Amino acid sequence: MLKAVNPATGETVREVALDSEADVNAKIEASLAAFHEWKAKSYAERAKLLRAVAAHMRKHVETLAPIMTEEMGKPIKEGRGEVEKSAWCAEHYADHAEGYLSRQVLESDASLSYVQHLPIGPILGILPWNAPFWLAFRFAAPALMAGNSCLMKHDPHVPGCAEAIETCFREAGAPEGLFQALYLETPSVEAVIRDDRVRGVSFTGSSRGGSAVAGIAGSAIKPAVLELGGSDPSIVLADADLDKAADVLTLSRIINAGQSCIAAKRIIVEESVYDKVEALMKQKLAALQLGDPRSAETDVGPIARSDLRDELHRQVQETIEQGATCVLGGELPDGDGYFYPVTLLSNVTPDMCAFNEETFGPVGVLVKARDADHAVELANDTRYGLAASIWTETSRGEAMASSLDTGQVSVNGIVKTDPRLPSGGTKASGLGRELGPHGILEFVNAQQVWIGPAKPA
């Protein structure tokens, strides 16, 4: 049985029966059958469904968003935004997939030679709890527009979200079996990855989990896209607009109660403006409202699970014991639910826990750098390489971007995922790309076509 617990109250709100082995087999078989029909559809026919799904989500946003609030604690205003962003993703690929997958003519000795991009079959998406709708559509929209079918194994703690996403497709008129949710616990997933009818896997989650999935997929000779953990650096140099930087970094650190792989986790500040940035961050973080995620006034909701809150608190306390200064927060609150106070740690150094481990919660970490070169050195001093931001004069920031070992860099702006742009990491933060024109190419057969006769020598 899959159990959803409301993290604001600690109460069980939903229980869903696990799929049996026979259930899983039937769903995979239905996905394969749907694929054979769907791959023959035109881009216009595929786009019609994606647009219908988007319209359905917008129409039912006040039903869909509260499910996230209930199952994983996302503040309701953020939940509404996530539904809208998911709809946008569906529409983006409906509008642009044909162009992204257009035939690429290449010169050779043939009369005509080109690459065409063909669907490969049922794709399995293994998803986490922290952005239940967005991550589902980030995986599914490009895969479906490429002509594949989708099987979604969502996190066991958000079964209501999984059911709601599947319902959106069904009520929008999706063919039977095209998009299905699998209700499984983690040990049962390996058999699905290895099933010959499943042709690829997209995984979002921890680096440890991604390593396991990549090993299984690799041994079965199947493509895998991995979006994994991050300890994202944000470099703030002395010539930056410090107030703007503090505003954006505060938002980046506390979206979804800080439970985001691309949140600003290590804020690396040039020493000449360090004290000013610390004061600004303290002021802005202290003004945030922690509370009931159902309230439109709430800025920061609870941590999704009690074990996650315990781990976050361990990281904070260990970092303080190692010599960091707790400027704000840092104490477990009394009362129901898994709330954690907005926290700011200062004077953090590379030998400390919060510098080296991914902190998944509303905990800002300030690190002092001597100058820009030292800031880049600190930013790259991590096993992760997901994303980074740089706050400085624009041309200087652009020049610095190539020095950062990350999959994406934002200069004077928030790090975010955008359907128009590729997203993904390096090092322990992942393999492959999602979104943009690059993401849709991950689960296609780039087939070379050579047409004779050969050109005269």
Side-chain angles (χ1 to χ4, degrees):
M1 190 73 69
L2 301 179
K3 182 184 294 186
V5 175
N6 186 332
T9 65
E11 297 175 350
T12 298
V13 294
R14 185 172 289 107
E15 292 186 337
V16 175
L18 290 165
D19 283 340
S20 67
E21 186 175 334
D23 293 331
V24 173
N25 181 67
K27 288 182 177 182
I28 296 175
E29 191 62 29
S31 185
L32 184 63
F35 162 68
H36 286 304
E37 292 187 15
W38 185 248
K39 68 178 181 180
K41 301 289 186 183
S42 67
Y43 286 112
E45 290 173 307
R46 296 173 196 166
K48 182 179 179 181
L49 172 63
L50 270 291
R51 292 192 184 99
V53 173
H56 178 87
M57 287 196 295
R58 288 198 175 98
K59 181 179 179 180
H60 295 279
V61 62
E62 295 303 331
T63 301
L64 299 173
I67 304 173
M68 288 184 273
T69 300
E70 182 181 56
E71 290 194 331
M72 48 73 61
K74 189 180 295 288
I76 188 64
K77 59 187 178 183
E78 292 186 17
R80 294 185 184 110
E82 182 169 327
V83 173
E84 167 60 34
K85 188 175 182 180
S86 301
W88 174 34
C89 185
E91 291 171 338
H92 175 79
Y93 278 101
D95 293 342
H96 296 284
E98 185 172 7
Y100 290 160
L101 297 173
S102 61
R103 177 187 294 183
Q104 182 181 10
V105 176
L106 300 171
E107 286 297 320
S108 74
D109 63 340
S111 297
L112 173 66
S113 50
Y114 59 87
V115 172
Q116 60 182 351
H117 303 99
L118 307 177
I120 59 174
I123 307 299
L124 172 65
I126 305 172
L127 308 177
W129 49 266
N130 58 327
F133 277 76
W134 168 243
L135 297 177
F137 278 84
R138 189 178 72 175
F139 143 69
L144 291 170
M145 282 304 302
N148 301 303
S149 57
C150 290
L151 294 159
M152 177 184 68
K153 186 274 173 190
H154 223 317
D155 187 272
H157 300 90
V158 290
C161 292
E163 183 179 20
I165 295 165
E166 183 179 37
T167 298
C168 288
F169 279 91
R170 183 170 58 251
E171 295 191 355
E176 186 71 25
L178 184 67
F179 183 96
Q180 300 172 90
L182 300 175
Y183 299 98
L184 297 172
E185 293 179 319
T186 300
S188 301
V189 177
E190 179 173 352
V192 181
I193 299 173
R194 292 193 181 280
D195 193 295
D196 289 340
R197 295 166 292 182
V198 174
R199 297 299 302 275
V201 56
S202 175
F203 175 88
T204 300
S206 70
S207 298
R208 184 176 64 178
S211 178
V213 167
I216 298 166
S219 69
I221 317 178
K222 296 181 182 182
V225 172
L226 311 174
E227 201 267 55
L228 309 178
S231 184
D232 288 8
S234 295
I235 295 173
V236 183
L237 299 181
D239 60 354
D241 180 337
L242 300 183
D243 196 67
K244 176 65 173 179
D247 271 337
V248 174
L249 294 175
T250 295
L251 176 62
S252 177
R253 181 60 270 188
I254 61 87
I255 289 176
N256 201 31
Q259 299 168 116
S260 169
C261 293
I262 57 170
K265 297 192 175 78
R266 294 177 299 137
I267 302 169
I268 301 168
V269 185
E270 195 167 8
E271 62 182 352
S272 63
V273 292
Y274 185 89
D275 291 344
K276 185 172 183 179
V277 171
E278 179 182 309
L280 284 168
M281 292 296 297
K282 180 181 179 181
Q283 174 192 350
K284 295 175 188 298
L285 289 169
L288 298 170
Q289 181 66 43
L290 176 72
D292 186 346
R294 296 172 300 177
S295 170
E297 304 302 314
T298 294
D299 299 306
V300 183
I303 302 300
R305 301 196 311 266
S306 61
D307 61 309
L308 298 175
R309 184 177 72 160
D310 291 344
E311 173 65 6
L312 181 67
H313 190 55
R314 177 197 66 79
Q315 293 171 314
V316 168
Q317 294 304 304
E318 187 172 319
T319 303
I320 294 170
E321 290 168 4
Q322 291 168 334
T325 303
C326 186
V327 177
L328 186 71
E331 296 295 332
L332 285 174
D334 296 326
D336 296 330
Y338 313 136
F339 293 93
Y340 198 81
V342 178
T343 296
L344 182 62
L345 301 177
S346 185
N347 301 313
V348 175
T349 56
D351 57 337
M352 295 181 185
C353 174
F355 186 98
N356 291 294
E357 297 181 13
E358 180 178 25
T359 51
F360 226 57
V363 176
V365 171
L366 293 174
V367 181
K368 189 178 294 184
R370 294 186 300 273
D371 52 28
D373 289 341
H374 186 217
V376 170
E377 180 184 328
L378 290 167
N380 289 335
D381 185 12
T382 174
R383 63 190 291 260
Y384 297 108
L386 192 54
S389 67
I390 305 172
W391 295 85
T392 185
E393 187 274 324
T394 302
S395 61
R396 185 187 190 194
E398 184 178 359
M400 290 174 64
S402 60
S403 299
L404 293 170
D405 298 334
T406 59
Q408 66 185 86
V409 179
S410 291
V411 177
N412 297 328
I414 194 168
V415 172
K416 61 186 177 182
T417 48
D418 183 323
R420 299 166 293 189
L421 301 171
S423 178
T426 62
K427 300 191 286 188
S429 288
L431 294 171
R433 291 296 180 265
E434 294 182 297
L435 301 175
H438 301 75
I440 200 169
L441 295 173
E442 294 286 357
F443 295 115
V444 297
N445 170 20
Q447 184 187 69
Q448 179 227 112
V449 179
W450 189 101
I451 297 175
K455 294 176 183 177

